[in-house]
Amino acid sequence: MNHLPQAWGRPRDDIYGAYDHSYLQSSGPITHTQKPVVTGTSVLAVKFKDGVVIAADNLGGLRKSCTDLLLVNADIWVEASYGSLARFTDVKRLRSFNSTSVIGIGGDVSDMQYIDRLLNSLSITESHSSDGHILSAANLHTYLSKVMYKRRTDINPLWNQILVAGLDGDEKPFLASVDLLGTTFSSPTLATGFGAHLAQPLLRQVVGSEEDVPSITREKAVEAIKECMKVLFYRDARSIDRYSIAVVTKAGGVELKEDEQLEGQSWAFAETIRGYGTQVA
Amino acid sequence: MFRNNYDNDAVTFSPQGRIFQVEYAQEAVKQGSVVVGIVSKTHAVLLGLKRNAEELSSYQKKIIELDSHFGLALAGLASDARVLSNFMKQQALASKMTYGRPLPIERVINQIADRAQWNTQMAGKRPYGVGLLVAGVDETGPHLFEFSPSGMTQEMAACAIGARSQMARTYLERHLSEFEGASRDELVKHGLRALKESLAQDKELTVENTSVGVVGRAADGKRKIESFKLYDGPEVSALLDASLESTDVPAEGGPAAETGAATQGDPSTAPGDSMDVDT
Amino acid sequence: MAASIFSSNPTLASGPNYSFSQAANNAAAGVKEHSFYPYTDNGGSTLGISGSDFAILAGDTRSTSGYNINSRYAPKVFKIGGDDETGEGAHIVLSVVGFAADGQALKERLDTIVKMYKYQHGKNMSVKACAQRLSTILYQKRFFPYYVHAILGGIDDEGKGSLYSYDPVGSYERESCRAGGAAASLIMPFLDNQVKNNNQYIPGSGEGHELVARKAEPLPKEEVVKIVRDAFTSATERHIEVGDGLQMLVATKDGIEEVYFPLKRD
């Protein structure tokens, strides 16, 4: 405490250094999100004959995932303070909608929470006019892609990549993606973040093309996804072993489990890795 | 002399609890030529009797396609209907754009109903002077709605509005039980016969004055809907022949029995002589 | 006491202060650099060829981001002005390659406009009118362009196949053939030679300057389909962003026919 009331409650320069005004941007053009702050990483999904399986781990790190950054721009790497802190270990990144769809969101967690609120309000307006019309996963994906594209066009992006999994208007399996640029695509297997590099090839070995989908059972699809989650935990430093997984089918609706533990891990391979730590090669 | 003091605007009730301007607007609907709509389990049809204001003019459009899955038929002020149909068309495109789904019929009906109601509660506004029949197919099947200037809307199994429409309604009521299971062709047939009931004594249904719109669920598995098809001009002739010449629909009493004799009208006598109100 | 304790608050800077001084990082006037770039390249290639009574637009179906394959089936060629579900009734075809989200937005906008035109005028928009309209749509976004190379095709008022190609800001030209996208530089010279007969001479017609150049003549549809397939199989070999599938839309007076051939998925 000192005799200068203006200083009370403010950080002192002699302790904290001068305040960095560049964070405040009191002048200059309006700018929006330039980089994600708290991020989630991979979301994986695969179609099977009766529906779709989708999974994501429960980690929200402080600007954590290297792969999410790959999506964006190399500039972001420069400011790496708190770079890979596993800050939030209980972030649920799958969300159901309408009992016909589940969305999995990678990227900025605050933007994810905004999307969540957006979908809550959409869900309320939709069920308010209860006339038997239900937005399918395909409809939801179209809607989200318009939201994402609008925001990128305003140069105010929602820093996410979203997978929409569920059933389309004909109650056939549906799986598609939309990212912060509004780019959309659909495929029998999809993965975001690090998973696009690590898991996608493994998933494509199981379901190579759309024609393969009718021959894939639910068990096979779930097993493939779990195996990929395990590989991601082994190989992606920014992942944890707790994850959410959901299965969407016509018969069972949305079956979402949000606190699963990776099973059957084997770290035996780690013994054989040389060149790290204290061992001599 | 008596003068109604409660019809200067649409926001004043009469002591009897009536809003005269709204009732007058509903009169405008009755002045318009008749339109008929029917739904079955699989299809929805709209039929309209077109008028021309004078011998030399063209016929006023009665049926408007709004999107591939729905359309409307109008009775009353055509210009008011145009404004409403432009709005509905926009909504339909917006629904396809934002959700990739055909606009649910009931939703758009509620929207125009809200607009119409607003005009009955705002000083300086005029109620729409048009009644509509909106027919279409969406994810929940075929629908037919009636819209009136008061902002009231109702889902109907069959309906007729416009001049002399009571005759058509009588026909529809009499055959109501047949509609649900009717095929596309049978539905059109019933529609044309109902329309014919409402004709003035010296009138016939002709290729010039008849419009038919059909939309339905698709029979083949390739897609879900059979797109809205508007029959106008020469295309109507086959429908008229099929509907009005045969007598295979059992006549229950008077009106239906007479249809057997009807044939396609002679064009030389057809066009709207003595039509006093245009729509 | 000259140095400011509240370097953060310029209005207090002239008052009493701490003795400790540190250069204020008062960079408020400076603009933080944007690191969000609103475009990306989704790879792939397109190509269009017009004939005497048809126009063909083709595109591969791969979608990429960097070295990743997003999807093996992401169409780049679209029917314009038809039924949403089936594309039935469409009479114009459009291909877009470049930034896929812009391509999608452009396609939907043109489709809406063509539908509105039919609703308002009670007839189909001519390909010529549609081509002009597409140019204005692109130019309206001159300073934040749709990052796409668009090609428009259809049958003109005389019943001839017509093809228009665009740059991202709306410059356009009617052409007999055009390749766009990642492998445009690989395919275009092939088309110049095979469709326009550039650098082809009639054998034995003379020596040196006497050689007679082979005139370009409209090719039959079957021939054009062969050329398109060759162009794409070759581009697939030489360009990593091209492959997976070849989709062709063939516009004739009878409507639009869709053809699909698999390409190598490596």
Side-chain angles (χ1 to χ4, degrees), chain A residues 122 125-126 129 131-135 138-140 142-144 146 169-170, chain B residues 96-107 110 138-140 143 224:
Chain A
L122 177 65
T125 33
E126 276 294 309
S129 43
D131 44 11
H133 295 278
I134 291 170
L135 288 175
N139 298 147
L140 181 64
T142 311
Y143 172 74
L144 285 170
K146 305 294 159 167
D170 299 325
Chain B
K96 287 262 170 74
M97 199 72 142
T98 25
Y99 301 106
R101 79 165 167 195
L103 179 64
I105 312 295
E106 192 184 334
R107 300 263 173 103
N110 287 335
D138 58 26
E139 285 157 348
T140 57
H143 298 282
K224 277 187 277 184

Side-chain angles (χ1 to χ4, degrees), chain B residues 36-40 157-159 166-183 186-197 243 246-260:
Chain B
V36 174
I38 317 178
V39 268
S40 71
C159 187
Q166 183 54 52
M167 310 287 280
R169 277 200 298 279
T170 306
Y171 175 92
L172 295 174
E173 281 160 18
R174 201 165 281 166
H175 293 86
L176 178 63
S177 59
E178 297 160 47
F179 298 152
E180 193 179 342
S183 69
E186 283 164 0
L187 215 55
V188 172
K189 197 177 289 180
H190 279 301
L192 285 170
R193 287 180 181 178
L195 197 65
K196 191 179 150 53
E197 291 300 308
S243 305
S246 65
T247 51
D248 55 0
V249 172
E252 295 175 51
E258 293 165 22
T259 60

